[in-house]
Amino acid sequence: MDYLNINKQAWNERAKVHFDSSFYDVPSFLAGNSSLTEIESAELTNVEGKSLLHLQCHFGLDTLSLARLGAKVTGVDLSDAAINKACDLAKQCNIDAEFVCADVYSYSASSQHSFDIVFTSFGAICWLPSLTHWAQVISDNLKSGGTFYMAEFHPVQDVLDGYPYFHNPEPDVVVEGSYTKTETETDSDDKQTMVTWAHSLSEVINALIKAGIRIDAVNEFPFSPYNCFENLVEKQPNQFHSIVKGQSIPLVFSIKGTKS
């Protein structure tokens, strides 16, 4: 299965829908607001003057938000439509940023730089068949003593949605619409075929350790900063909970590490 081309086509279509959606709220970003959630903002600090690689950056809102904080950013994404929009946004906002159209694995083979920080977040790793390879890309692109940071949806939510918790080499192939649920979507026309893999929390951690990343912190959060799953309850502003038997389940985890 040519998962790269299948997913690239899907994300090229999604980039068009997402850019105009209220979910991403590009006008707010253009007005000067940050797209970073409270989780990344609290845990990924002191980026000023640091070189930062953002893997799977979509059309660059988080990348450019980090640039506004003083980071020297490079964003990488599979979708050429998304990268084109990221470049347009950088130009429109007069932000110095580099964007590269490449999948995660092939980028590492062509990269000529090492970075102070490698960053990834929210809905990224499910598109990758091998976290061993992913973690090695992170390590290869980090300077010695550099920081890796990720914030990601918790795999427990995937189980509730009917997906496996533990990794299977055989992917899940789904046909679905965008989580942004914009007014332009219909039940049939805007659905895309997409290829994903499950990754448990232990798999993520062990892949990073094997690649030479010292784990400094692992945190779990009982909410999502995005209202992107079904039947979520907003207990506080931008904190959406999934309630199972009266209790909030973990919806996000974060990991911070250092290259040994």
Side-chain angles (χ1 to χ4, degrees):
M1 179 180 294
D2 188 359
Y3 79 93
L4 283 175
N5 279 330
I6 293 171
N7 286 342
K8 181 173 183 175
Q9 180 179 345
W11 280 101
N12 277 343
E13 292 301 318
R14 281 192 168 191
K16 301 170 189 175
V17 174
H18 289 181
F19 193 82
D20 296 325
S21 71
S22 59
F23 184 95
Y24 280 92
D25 195 7
V26 171
S28 177
F29 172 80
L30 292 174
N33 293 325
S34 173
S35 66
L36 298 172
T37 74
E38 63 179 270
I39 295 172
E40 301 112 305
S41 296
E43 296 187 332
L44 183 60
T45 57
N46 301 321
V47 301
E48 185 174 3
K50 303 289 182 63
S51 58
L52 183 147
L53 174 64
H54 183 184
L55 298 175
Q56 297 168 273
C57 68
H58 201 20
F59 54 82
L61 289 186
D62 289 351
T63 323
L64 296 171
S65 292
L66 289 161
R68 281 176 170 167
L69 295 175
K72 302 172 184 177
V73 299
T74 298
V76 177
D77 198 85
L78 173 70
S79 165
D80 52 330
I83 288 297
N84 288 338
K85 289 184 179 297
C87 291
D88 289 343
L89 279 173
K91 185 180 297 183
Q92 189 172 350
C93 296
N94 195 28
I95 297 174
D96 186 18
E98 180 182 5
F99 288 100
V100 179
C101 183
D103 70 275
V104 169
Y105 302 149
S106 67
Y107 172 77
S108 188
S110 61
S111 174
Q112 302 296 315
H113 305 286
S114 56
F115 296 84
D116 298 310
I117 301 168
V118 175
F119 167 73
T120 186
S121 71
F122 295 110
I125 60 175
C126 66
W127 309 103
L128 303 175
S130 169
L131 289 196
T132 299
H133 195 171
W134 164 81
Q136 193 59 54
V137 170
I138 292 164
S139 182
D140 289 346
N141 284 279
L142 261 182
K143 296 178 181 178
S144 179
T147 297
F148 169 69
Y149 178 78
M150 70 181 298
E152 180 60 277
F153 294 120
H154 204 290
V156 166
Q157 175 62 38
D158 292 334
V159 176
L160 294 181
D161 287 342
Y163 295 97
Y165 180 83
F166 295 103
H167 179 68
N168 187 331
E170 293 299 318
D172 291 294
V173 181
V174 298
V175 179
E176 61 184 16
S178 172
Y179 49 84
T180 57
K181 300 178 180 177
T182 67
E183 297 81 1
T184 62
E185 289 188 86
T186 66
D187 289 338
S188 58
D189 293 343
D190 292 319
K191 291 186 176 181
Q192 301 293 325
T193 299
M194 312 188 89
V195 184
T196 66
W197 287 264
H199 300 292
S200 68
L201 186 55
S202 61
E203 183 191 357
V204 177
I205 293 170
N206 288 329
L208 291 166
I209 292 172
K210 183 179 178 180
I213 306 298
R214 185 189 71 220
I215 305 299
D216 299 318
V218 178
N219 292 311
E220 296 174 285
F221 300 86
F223 64 88
S224 165
Y226 303 108
N227 187 16
C228 56
F229 304 117
E230 292 185 359
N231 302 317
L232 297 184
V233 178
E234 189 174 15
K235 289 191 172 183
Q236 297 182 39
N238 299 318
Q239 292 189 8
F240 299 92
H241 293 245
S242 181
I243 309 299
V244 177
K245 295 185 176 181
Q247 302 296 324
S248 294
I249 66 167
L251 287 184
V252 169
F253 71 90
S254 68
I255 298 176
K256 196 170 189 179
T258 304
K259 182 175 178 179
S260 302

